[in-house]
Amino acid sequence: MSTDDVTPGGGIVEDEFTDPGIPTHHRPRRADVDPKAAKRAELQVAALFGVSVLGTVIAIWAYLTADVGGDNIAGVRNTTMFLGVGLFLAMIGIGTGAIHWAKTLMRDHDIVEERHHLRSSEEARAGAVDNLKQGARDSGIGIGRRGLLKGSLVTALAIAPLSVLVPAVGNLGGDWNVSKLRNTMWRRGMRLAKDPGGGLIKAADVTIGSVFQVIPDGLNELEEGKLEEKAKAVVLLIRMNPEDLKVQPGREDWSFDGIVAYSKICTHVGCPVALYEQQTHHLLCPCHQSTFDVADGAKVVFGPANRPLPQLPIAVDDEGYIIAKDDFNEPIGPSYWERLK
Amino acid sequence: MSDVKAAPPVTGAKHAAGGTANYLDERTSIGAFTKFIARKVFPDHWSFMLGEIALYSFVVLLLSGVILTAFFVPSIEPVVYDGSLATMQGIEMSKAFESTLRMSFEVPGGLLMRQIHHWAALIFAASILTHMARIFFTGAFRKPRELNWLVGFTLMILSLAAGFTGYSLPDDVLSGNGLRIIDGVIRSMPILGSYISYGLFGGEFPGEDLIPRLFTAHVLLVPALILGLIALHLFLVFLQKHTQYPGGGRTDKNVVGFPLFPVYTAKAGGFFFVVFGVIALLGATLQINPVWNYGPYDPSIISAGTQPDWYMLFIDGALRIMPGNLEYVIGGYTLSLNILIPGVVVPGLFFGALALYPWIEAWATGDRGERHILDRPRNAPVRTALGVAAITFYVVLVLEGSNDIVANLFRLSINDLTIMFRIAVFVLPVLAFILTKRIAMGLQRKDRELVLHGHETGRIVRFDDGEYIEVHEPLNDQERWVRVSYTALKPREPAPELNVHGVRRKGYRWDRFKAALSRFYFEDRVEPVTPAELEEAQDHRAPVAESEAPRPEVEKSTTS
Amino acid sequence: MRALALKRHRRTAPFVLILVLLVGLTMAAYATQSRPAEGAISTANAIGEGQKLFAANCASCHGIGAQGQTGVAPSLVGVGAAAVDFQVGTGRMPLQASGPQAIVKDVQFNATQIAQLAAYVASLGPGPAVPDAEAVDPALGDPARGMELFRANCAMCHGSVGGGGALTQGKYAPSLWGTTPTHIYEAMLVGPQSMPVFNDANITPEDKRDIIAYLDEQRGAAAGGLKLGTIGPVAEGLWAWLLGMGIIVGFTVWIGVRSS
């Protein structure tokens, strides 16, 4: 039990060191040897419990004098703070008091508990097997017997959950009509409106460098599915110097004098893309930083998106208002499996 | 206490306590249980309390959560706000958002409870990861605790589920955009994506069903699962008894420490109040999730700094770090690997490897025995290095998930940061692995050095022949035992390829894989000092070992 | 000043000096803020003075007639007085060094000089004027409407309550907490640098005042305690680890250490 075995002259040298055992010499704490220190520790613990009582009083006082409501931000702030600090003191007093007590005054000698193998004894295991065998015999389903019984039971158990799961899962998805992902409420001739407010937009209102947050006129009057439609239909209307705009082949009449309209929903995972830098014509998504070049067909110039933002073809009607010529050229938002089908 | 006649005839409180105990025991045999539990031994170490932080912050979550449910209305039915907040007057919002504002601004102490609840959630997730790291680095997941590691792992996943479902409940812009990102990730899944999205939201995003569904998951389903698994987790800890760090007298057959009653009742019980107190202090002084700043959810709105709570940040970082050109159209069907890889595959592999780690390491060690003595992290260099590499990978993704905040704070470019992190996410974990392994083995060698040559004392002596040497003081038994009582495992050799019949045997490939894995783990190793080595070292400097003898002339002492 | 200091007791002198300095600074700040309300400067004179200032300080980049130089600086014809008041009044112009974007620094001109420069640039072509005090008075705005407008049009770059945020390639949307209502109004009107233009057809003058009222509401104390920069969950997570886990793990160490 000591290094005697390995010191020179000790004789045999073993292959491994031996465990010196639990340390026997124990440095006593101050409170173990000095009654004054023990008394002092006792007072400290009591004082900490006293702090807790004080904290409870503060918390209750803060609640009773709370002045919240009526646009009183300072009142909410004070109540939160004083009530919280009271709660903090009430808790930390008990906690530190109890721990200080344990550390200074409770006996601090290690004790040892034996472990036992978790593995059951051989008799117990044999007994378990015997019991199961006996049970199997009693039920008549020993190995190779009553196959029909076992098979039908397993089948019934396996499919019985479907009686609950099929209706439960079936109801989860509403009408399951995933083709709704393809289209938005934009129609030919529908006017573009400002969000919020719903004011209509004339081409002359959109000066160079402007960006308008746009919804379809009539969206706010929808009785049902307003948010679902808005989630798909939102548009950014941007005007730049017509010289800067690279018109995409096949989309020559989709813009109007430097005014273009693109879906606001990112083709990555669907955040609203909205950070428009008017000098570079770059549009940045704040969620994952996909960057689109509005001057060049809203193609991706940086980040995790792969496809350009879908474009909304626009024109100007007789009264000078900007209108949509059609729905977006493709499904808006993130990619999904059957998007192109 | 089961024998009524034996009850001592005492008066007052003692009598009442005895009576109650007797009453209970005759109906539940709680006496035997108390005998078993009261003096159950727990080893003492600060790192053994990390799991308790998780447990206690969960209790704080339950307490504050119950208060919040008294005021929260899980409905997206629209209402027009006419409460006390000037910036929301006349705004249309859901009842969920409105009730969140009402409990914050019109219920005294309501905001405190919300803030305590949210801080407790962040601490809950943080303490679970910290606890998990402790288990990992000390090898506490080895037999017989593999199953409990899996229980703990599931609890970690459930903590993410609990956090995310709760975060989304107030129906504000920030969490709404978080849900929309989840929707986008789900839709990227092949074949079933759109249908899973419909199933979750009850139709098209955002739908009307999600908030009530999340509410039920958040207040019933997930907490019930967590409670059940916590019970199982703790039951297994009691059954298998706690692990302990190496030290004199501590073996795989015993557990050395303090009894549950009274020392741990006071320490662990007191620690609950400490955790509660600290979380209360955070809730009292630091504003968290001010939903009135973000406003009610509107699918057109986004604000700078749109991020999830920290525990989901690594997935957001993975989404950000991915270049976009990995989307393919195959036979007309779209496969968005640019979303699928960071949103599903990376977290899946990361968590999968984490869940299976105890078995992966067991393939390498081939160890079949029960291990109750913890490893010092340096004595398992490859495991420690793997852990640090995984943490490095995770932290790079978290930083990428915060790249706009980092860029804005230090006036850097988000584009440069992203490109840098794209490199770092591959390079840094490898560097971290190499570095950690070297440091761990360096520490092992330092341990050897210390065992062989003892502590430096700063005392210089001169021999008769003029040689100067510093006196080294040998380690005492306890110090030495901590440093030598480990086994440096050697790589496993696969059994021969051909069996007795000269035919290639079944399972040889698998064995060869395990042998390769084992080489990766144990090829480089530092053996502990053997008694023979120590004796040789002491012989070598015999004069020094007996430096107290008068032979060498003590020239001077220094205290350097 | 020296005579003044000598007359007083030696110990009070520094305080008096600081007081004088503070009063001076306050008056200067007040003078800057109330500048748009002035207007007593004779216009023709102001344009002439402004032209001289322009020639000395701005023409090297923007050209003698403010017609701009390709690749160096934009034309200022038609940008209006508001643009000058914003760019020069926040210290962004004159540009000190090229970078991703012009940064806010010490204002180089006094209020009169800025008004003269603005008057000169405004005389070059029609453009937005500097708003009057009533147009930017937060007390007259509706903060709730401002909240709706702000989060639809501004929050994506400036953050939900105007704390600022990152743009591409090192550019950024600045924090709005220290910006005066007049400068906020002018920025919307003219769209400086990366910022898009929000003309009066897009965001009406009343709307702009509502936005100013909303931002003004953010300057007071927060209901929940310290704001942590109001940059959202990243800051909250950082503090949860540093402060929350830091303190609690500190306690575990204390619990684990043997008492002396």
Side-chain angles (χ1 to χ4, degrees):
Chain A
M1 279 289 170
S2 80
T3 51
D4 283 350
D5 299 341
V6 293
T7 43
I12 312 144
V13 174
E14 313 223 345
D15 285 352
E16 284 182 357
F17 287 95
T18 43
D19 186 344
I22 295 166
T24 45
H25 54 279
H26 213 73
R27 178 175 57 85
R29 296 166 300 185
R30 235 179 288 154
D32 292 335
V33 288
D34 180 2
K36 261 197 220 150
K39 187 72 202 165
R40 200 162 54 235
E42 193 184 331
L43 283 175
Q44 284 164 347
V45 172
L48 286 167
F49 291 153
V51 166
S52 168
V53 173
L54 179 74
T56 307
V57 172
I58 291 176
I60 292 170
W61 165 80
Y63 174 76
L64 293 178
T65 59
D67 178 21
V68 303
D71 199 24
N72 185 1
I73 298 291
V76 175
R77 180 187 164 91
N78 288 339
T79 306
T80 304
M81 192 170 72
F82 286 114
L83 196 57
V85 168
L87 185 57
F88 161 68
L89 293 175
M91 293 298 148
I92 207 88
I94 298 179
T96 49
I99 295 164
H100 193 52
W101 180 3
K103 278 167 61 95
T104 53
L105 295 170
M106 289 182 188
R107 205 179 112 93
D108 77 332
H109 284 242
D110 283 331
I111 59 174
V112 181
E113 191 180 327
E114 293 303 314
R115 285 181 199 275
H116 309 286
H117 264 297
L118 288 158
R119 185 188 159 100
S120 311
S121 66
E122 289 304 332
E123 305 92 88
R125 288 163 72 129
V129 172
D130 285 347
N131 283 353
L132 288 177
K133 275 185 185 158
Q134 183 62 46
R137 272 197 300 279
D138 290 355
S139 67
I141 55 160
I143 294 161
R145 294 188 59 206
R146 302 254 161 93
L148 177 66
L149 198 60
K150 280 187 278 189
S152 54
L153 174 67
V154 168
T155 311
L157 279 177
I159 67 163
L162 293 179
S163 61
V164 177
L165 282 179
V166 168
V169 174
N171 286 333
L172 281 179
D175 58 9
W176 293 107
N177 180 10
V178 295
S179 68
K180 280 194 279 189
L181 297 175
R182 270 175 228 288
N183 307 106
T184 72
M185 70 178 282
W186 286 108
R187 295 288 173 274
R188 183 176 178 80
M190 196 177 261
R191 284 174 173 168
L192 277 66
K194 284 197 287 180
D195 180 43
L200 300 177
I201 306 162
K202 287 190 163 171
D205 295 342
V206 190
T207 49
I208 289 177
S210 281
V211 50
F212 281 61
Q213 314 291 324
V214 169
I215 49 173
D217 184 30
L219 175 87
N220 286 334
E221 284 71 47
L222 283 185
E223 296 284 318
E224 265 188 21
K226 200 165 92 179
L227 282 185
E228 289 73 23
E229 289 303 336
K230 188 171 187 180
K232 291 187 295 186
V234 284
V235 157
L236 280 179
L237 187 72
I238 291 166
R239 185 176 207 164
M240 64 189 74
N241 196 331
E243 294 161 18
D244 293 341
L245 188 65
K246 277 189 228 160
V247 177
Q248 303 299 304
R251 301 184 183 182
E252 287 79 8
D253 56 350
W254 286 19
S255 61
F256 180 84
D257 199 18
I259 305 178
V260 286
Y262 282 100
S263 164
K264 196 179 174 180
I265 304 306
C266 190
T267 56
H268 177 223
V269 284
C271 276
V273 196
L275 284 72
Y276 178 63
E277 299 175 4
Q278 66 134 324
Q279 284 176 331
T280 55
H281 312 305
H282 284 177
L283 195 55
L284 171 72
C285 177
C287 289
H288 307 102
Q289 286 132 24
S290 298
T291 311
F292 304 88
D293 188 355
V294 179
D296 187 13
K299 288 179 186 152
V300 179
V301 291
F302 188 82
N306 179 56
R307 289 178 294 108
L309 294 170
Q311 187 169 5
L312 184 76
I314 52 164
V316 175
D317 68 7
D318 307 341
E319 295 171 63
Y321 291 112
I322 301 177
I323 54 166
K325 291 171 81 170
D326 200 353
D327 198 354
F328 292 102
N329 62 318
E330 57 177 357
I332 61 99
S335 300
Y336 53 96
W337 182 249
E338 66 277 15
R339 197 181 80 88
L340 298 174
K341 282 287 165 178
Chain B
M1 283 283 176
S2 59
D3 189 357
V4 183
K5 281 172 282 179
V10 280
T11 52
K14 225 173 181 178
H15 185 74
T20 312
N22 178 48
Y23 181 92
L24 283 177
D25 186 49
E26 286 185 349
R27 283 157 184 83
T28 62
S29 58
I30 198 171
F33 180 70
T34 308
K35 175 173 177 285
F36 161 74
I37 208 89
R39 298 296 276 182
K40 200 166 166 53
V41 170
F42 281 92
D44 206 24
H45 194 270
W46 68 268
S47 70
F48 295 165
M49 310 205 88
L50 296 172
E52 280 175 46
I53 306 176
L55 178 65
Y56 297 151
S57 47
F58 182 68
V59 175
V60 174
L61 281 167
L62 287 182
L63 294 176
S64 53
V66 166
I67 295 172
L68 296 182
T69 52
F71 303 100
F72 181 68
V73 185
S75 158
I76 70 142
E77 196 181 315
V79 286
V80 173
Y81 184 77
D82 66 344
S84 64
L85 204 59
T87 52
M88 290 291 156
Q89 285 305 325
I91 304 287
E92 191 180 296
M93 56 184 65
S94 63
K95 277 189 175 168
F97 191 81
E98 196 261 351
S99 60
T100 308
L101 290 187
R102 195 161 55 83
M103 78 168 81
S104 302
F105 288 97
E106 279 144 72
V107 176
L111 181 58
L112 177 69
M113 282 304 140
R114 265 197 66 224
Q115 301 202 135
I116 285 180
H117 195 70
H118 205 127
W119 281 116
L122 297 194
I123 301 284
F124 181 52
S127 53
I128 288 180
L129 280 202
T130 318
H131 174 56
M132 219 168 165
R134 197 284 290 170
I135 301 290
F136 181 89
F137 286 118
T138 57
F141 52 78
R142 291 171 297 169
K143 189 180 172 186
R145 293 182 180 77
E146 307 98 318
L147 295 179
N148 216 11
W149 166 268
L150 215 51
V151 173
F153 169 82
T154 314
L155 278 167
M156 186 266 286
I157 298 292
L158 284 172
S159 80
L160 302 185
F164 193 79
T165 50
Y167 166 85
S168 305
L169 284 181
D171 196 27
D172 58 305
V173 162
L174 187 65
S175 66
N177 280 312
L179 285 174
R180 187 152 203 187
I181 293 171
I182 294 285
D183 177 52
V185 172
I186 289 174
R187 279 203 219 166
S188 76
M189 292 179 188
I191 304 167
L192 285 177
S194 315
Y195 294 93
I196 298 175
S197 160
Y198 264 54
L200 187 64
F201 291 92
E204 253 189 306
F205 176 88
E208 295 180 353
D209 296 340
L210 189 66
I211 298 285
R213 286 180 185 177
L214 287 178
F215 182 72
T216 311
H218 184 68
V219 304
L220 179 73
L221 206 59
V222 179
L225 284 172
I226 291 181
L227 265 180
L229 285 178
I230 285 179
L232 180 59
H233 201 60
L234 294 182
F235 168 75
L236 284 172
V237 170
F238 270 78
L239 182 75
Q240 298 171 337
K241 299 193 173 76
H242 209 286
T243 52
Q244 53 192 348
Y245 282 102
R250 300 176 189 183
T251 69
D252 278 331
K253 296 204 162 37
N254 70 8
V255 51
V256 180
F258 297 137
L260 186 64
F261 184 77
V263 177
Y264 273 102
T265 316
K267 280 191 173 182
F271 189 48
F272 163 71
F273 292 96
V274 167
V275 172
F276 197 165
V278 173
I279 293 174
L281 189 64
L282 294 176
T285 51
L286 305 180
Q287 177 166 287
I288 187 164
N289 197 23
V291 289
W292 55 92
N293 281 353
Y294 310 130
Y297 182 62
D298 178 325
S300 174
I301 305 296
I302 189 82
S303 81
T306 292
Q307 266 114 348
D309 272 350
W310 76 262
Y311 43 81
M312 301 293 274
L313 210 49
F314 78 103
I315 299 182
D316 212 48
L319 284 168
R320 287 178 186 207
I321 209 165
M322 199 74 192
N325 42 17
L326 282 172
E327 184 173 292
Y328 301 101
V329 177
I330 300 158
Y333 292 103
T334 310
L335 184 64
S336 294
L337 289 181
N338 56 333
I339 304 166
L340 212 53
I341 289 177
V344 181
V345 177
V346 167
L349 286 178
F350 191 78
F351 285 142
L354 203 58
L356 296 179
Y357 187 80
W359 290 274
I360 297 173
E361 195 182 292
W363 292 335
T365 58
D367 188 5
R368 299 277 173 88
E370 287 185 16
R371 296 283 165 252
H372 300 292
I373 297 287
L374 295 172
D375 283 329
R376 299 166 79 215
R378 69 188 59 175
N379 290 336
V382 171
R383 176 205 297 149
T384 305
L386 281 176
V388 174
I391 290 173
T392 309
F393 176 75
Y394 184 89
V395 168
V396 170
L397 290 186
V398 167
L399 284 176
E400 169 67 8
S402 331
N403 67 348
D404 54 331
I405 305 286
V406 176
N408 201 31
L409 205 60
F410 300 106
R411 288 280 170 263
L412 300 167
S413 153
I414 47 172
N415 307 68
D416 296 348
L417 277 177
T418 299
I419 290 164
M420 202 181 82
F421 287 135
R422 277 178 187 166
I423 300 165
V425 80
F426 292 107
V427 175
L428 285 189
V430 176
L431 276 182
F433 178 87
I434 296 169
L435 223 78
T436 310
K437 191 176 161 189
R438 281 179 174 272
I439 291 171
M441 294 179 69
L443 287 171
Q444 282 184 299
R445 290 198 188 92
K446 211 177 134 207
D447 277 351
R448 280 183 61 89
E449 200 65 10
L450 204 60
V451 172
L452 289 174
H453 304 299
H455 296 292
E456 292 177 5
T457 58
R459 281 169 57 225
I460 310 285
V461 293
R462 199 186 77 182
F463 291 101
D464 293 339
D465 57 5
E467 187 192 354
Y468 284 93
I469 199 160
E470 185 182 4
V471 179
H472 284 234
E473 193 181 315
L475 269 59
N476 69 32
D477 293 351
Q478 296 290 343
E479 289 172 328
R480 183 183 307 119
W481 178 245
V482 169
R483 289 168 179 82
V484 299
S485 62
Y486 73 94
T487 322
L489 291 170
K490 293 175 184 60
R492 307 168 75 175
E493 288 301 327
E497 183 174 359
L498 306 177
N499 63 15
V500 283
H501 309 296
V503 184
R504 189 174 171 155
R505 70 187 172 83
K506 249 178 156 179
Y508 174 70
R509 268 170 181 281
W510 176 235
D511 278 3
R512 213 173 48 179
F513 164 74
K514 286 196 288 190
L517 192 68
S518 194
R519 266 200 307 284
F520 167 69
Y521 268 86
F522 305 118
E523 188 121 72
D524 302 325
R525 61 188 179 278
V526 178
E527 304 278 352
V529 176
T530 61
E533 286 173 323
L534 181 61
E535 191 187 27
E536 194 190 338
Q538 282 171 335
D539 276 348
H540 182 67
R541 43 161 205 152
V544 186
E546 295 162 37
S547 61
E548 300 310 317
R551 188 153 52 95
E553 172 195 345
V554 176
E555 179 83 346
K556 58 177 177 180
S557 297
T558 75
T559 51
S560 63
Chain C
M1 213 41 116
R2 189 172 167 172
L4 184 77
L6 282 172
K7 270 185 208 163
R8 298 279 185 279
H9 194 277
R10 274 171 63 198
R11 264 202 258 165
T12 57
F15 295 103
V16 172
L17 279 172
I18 289 169
L19 192 70
V20 168
L21 202 66
L22 278 177
V23 169
L25 278 176
T26 317
M27 282 166 66
Y30 188 73
T32 322
Q33 285 210 326
S34 61
R35 170 177 30 79
E38 289 177 15
I41 319 153
S42 120
T43 320
N45 191 18
I47 293 173
E49 290 297 317
Q51 187 166 18
K52 282 183 211 159
L53 283 167
F54 189 89
N57 296 288
C58 321
S60 57
C61 299
H62 289 287
I64 293 295
Q67 75 282 23
Q69 292 184 61
T70 316
V72 179
S75 162
L76 300 183
V77 178
V79 300
V84 179
D85 189 58
F86 176 82
Q87 296 284 6
V88 183
T90 58
R92 285 183 169 80
M93 290 290 149
L95 201 60
Q96 209 164 43
S98 61
Q101 71 187 51
I103 53 166
V104 174
K105 51 187 189 299
D106 291 341
V107 181
Q108 309 282 306
F109 301 97
N110 65 31
T112 319
Q113 290 171 319
I114 295 171
Q116 288 165 344
L117 272 171
Y120 166 65
V121 171
S123 74
L124 300 173
V130 175
D132 61 23
E134 199 186 313
V136 300
D137 187 354
L140 299 173
D142 173 358
R145 251 189 72 71
M147 187 279 295
E148 279 196 299
L149 289 158
F150 187 86
R151 67 195 200 124
N153 293 287
C154 323
M156 61 283 255
C157 301
H158 290 285
S160 53
V161 288
L167 299 176
T168 66
Q169 307 291 356
K171 297 186 285 285
Y172 59 93
S175 159
L176 304 177
W177 295 329
T179 315
T180 66
T182 307
H183 288 147
I184 293 171
Y185 192 104
E186 289 166 348
M188 289 189 263
L189 212 50
V190 303
Q193 304 185 55
S194 294
M195 181 164 162
V197 177
F198 296 94
N199 62 28
D200 287 350
N202 190 355
I203 297 181
T204 66
E206 291 76 42
D207 289 348
K208 290 191 171 83
R209 189 163 61 191
D210 293 343
I211 288 174
I212 289 167
Y214 171 69
L215 286 171
D216 193 62
E217 284 280 324
Q218 308 305 329
R219 298 185 188 199
L226 300 177
K227 293 183 193 174
L228 310 181
T230 60
I231 49 171
V234 172
E236 292 160 7
L238 185 71
W239 288 110
W241 275 97
L242 290 183
L243 215 60
M245 286 304 282
I247 295 173
I248 295 172
V249 172
F251 269 107
T252 66
V253 174
W254 172 64
I255 295 169
V257 169
R258 250 186 117 241
S259 180
S260 63

